[in-house]
Amino acid sequence: MVCSPARKLFPAFLLIALATIVTSASAQTTITNIDQMTGWQSCSTCAGAGGAGPTTAHSMAQNQPSPAMDGRSVKFSITGATPYANALWWKQLGRKDAAHNFVFDMYYYIKTPSAAQALEFDVNQTVGGKWYIFGTECVLKGTPHWNVYDPYNRHWVATSVPCKIPTAYKWQHVVLEFHRTSLGKNQFLSVTINGVKSYFNKTYSPKGASSNTLNVAFQMDMNSKAVDYSTWVDKVSLKYW
């Protein structure tokens, strides 16, 4: 965060969250190279509206030497003839009940940005009978912008944060910050794209759940013409405390 000589004012909710981050810094844990881990899962139907979307072909290929940031990227692909079909991939990271703060950091590379309707980046935590869905998506059609997910009411909410269409054949760096409040709320803090930070200022209630776990997820949405495309992802990490 860079402040000008004139003191900058922040919303009260953000000051509280930042205070939590500062006081808890010593207890941080970072899981790195999640893209290289085994045990990733995927689906297409569950990625659609209401968890009942169309079935479409999709694949994941790890250890891609190029393009890659560290020599071992993962290639996600979606194909088929159904407009607006989706594919979701996720990696379970185990039970992390004490975690309240999350920083999801990754790079992605796409050759045909026009083929994507949206790209989704999520952190999911289930704890204490609640499912905290920190779902975000960069909507690339119409006026490109970020959506965040309201878990309790089960729908996307458009924000005023713009999501610039990524440059083809160039790595994009995405950092998302979330907070599970002491009152049991989903708090969407910020998104940083290639070093430029924006604040969401959104808080929602979670939905019910019966398990206790933490995972990260990535989703690709096809456009109205169902154009096949791939996205390379690298250096995926999750910091939590």
Side-chain angles (χ1 to χ4, degrees):
M1 183 189 306
V2 179
C3 296
S4 63
R7 190 168 66 183
K8 189 171 182 180
L9 298 179
F10 292 93
F13 89 92
L14 187 55
L15 291 175
I16 294 172
L18 290 176
T20 302
I21 291 172
V22 171
T23 58
S24 304
S26 61
Q28 293 179 357
T29 299
T30 302
I31 304 174
T32 60
N33 294 321
I34 298 173
D35 51 290
Q36 297 177 17
M37 293 180 174
T38 59
W40 279 78
Q41 302 174 69
S42 69
C43 72
S44 55
T45 300
C46 77
T55 299
T56 195
H58 57 283
S59 63
M60 173 184 179
Q62 292 177 297
N63 302 316
Q64 300 295 300
S66 179
M69 297 288 294
D70 59 10
R72 295 178 64 187
S73 69
V74 57
K75 180 182 179 182
F76 296 107
S77 300
I78 184 170
T79 61
T82 304
Y84 304 115
N86 315 291
L88 173 70
W89 296 264
W90 68 94
K91 171 58 183 170
Q92 297 288 1
L93 300 172
R95 184 170 180 168
K96 316 292 181 186
D97 293 3
H100 281 78
N101 303 282
F102 308 94
V103 180
F104 188 21
D105 192 320
M106 66 185 293
Y107 291 80
Y108 77 92
Y109 179 106
I110 186 169
K111 296 180 179 179
T112 54
S114 61
Q117 179 72 19
L119 297 173
E120 183 176 332
F121 311 85
D122 307 332
V123 173
N124 293 276
Q125 184 186 36
T126 53
V127 58
K130 297 179 180 179
W131 184 358
Y132 297 88
I133 304 174
F134 298 102
T136 67
E137 64 174 3
C138 171
V139 180
L140 297 173
K141 299 304 180 184
T143 301
H145 66 279
W146 283 91
N147 284 346
V148 297
Y149 193 71
D150 177 349
Y152 186 80
N153 294 300
R154 304 184 184 188
H155 66 82
W156 290 100
V157 178
T159 75
S160 59
V161 178
C163 188
K164 185 178 179 181
I165 297 174
T167 303
Y169 296 92
K170 184 176 180 179
W171 285 100
Q172 309 294 316
H173 188 196
V174 182
V175 181
L176 290 149
E177 298 180 58
F178 311 112
H179 176 59
R180 173 166 63 89
T181 75
S182 59
L183 298 177
K185 300 287 187 178
N186 278 64
Q187 194 170 68
F188 294 85
L189 297 178
S190 66
V191 58
T192 304
I193 303 293
N194 299 326
V196 179
K197 192 169 192 174
S198 301
Y199 294 93
F200 288 127
N201 188 18
K202 299 289 185 182
T203 302
Y204 302 101
S205 297
K207 60 186 294 187
S210 58
S211 61
N212 290 69
T213 189
L214 178 69
N215 69 57
V216 298
F218 176 66
Q219 179 168 317
M220 294 165 56
D221 298 348
M222 300 184 85
N223 65 15
S224 61
K225 298 181 180 178
V227 178
D228 300 349
Y229 71 102
S230 298
T231 306
W232 286 259
V233 171
D234 206 349
K235 299 182 71 173
V236 179
S237 71
L238 181 68
K239 182 187 297 183
Y240 64 89
W241 63 99

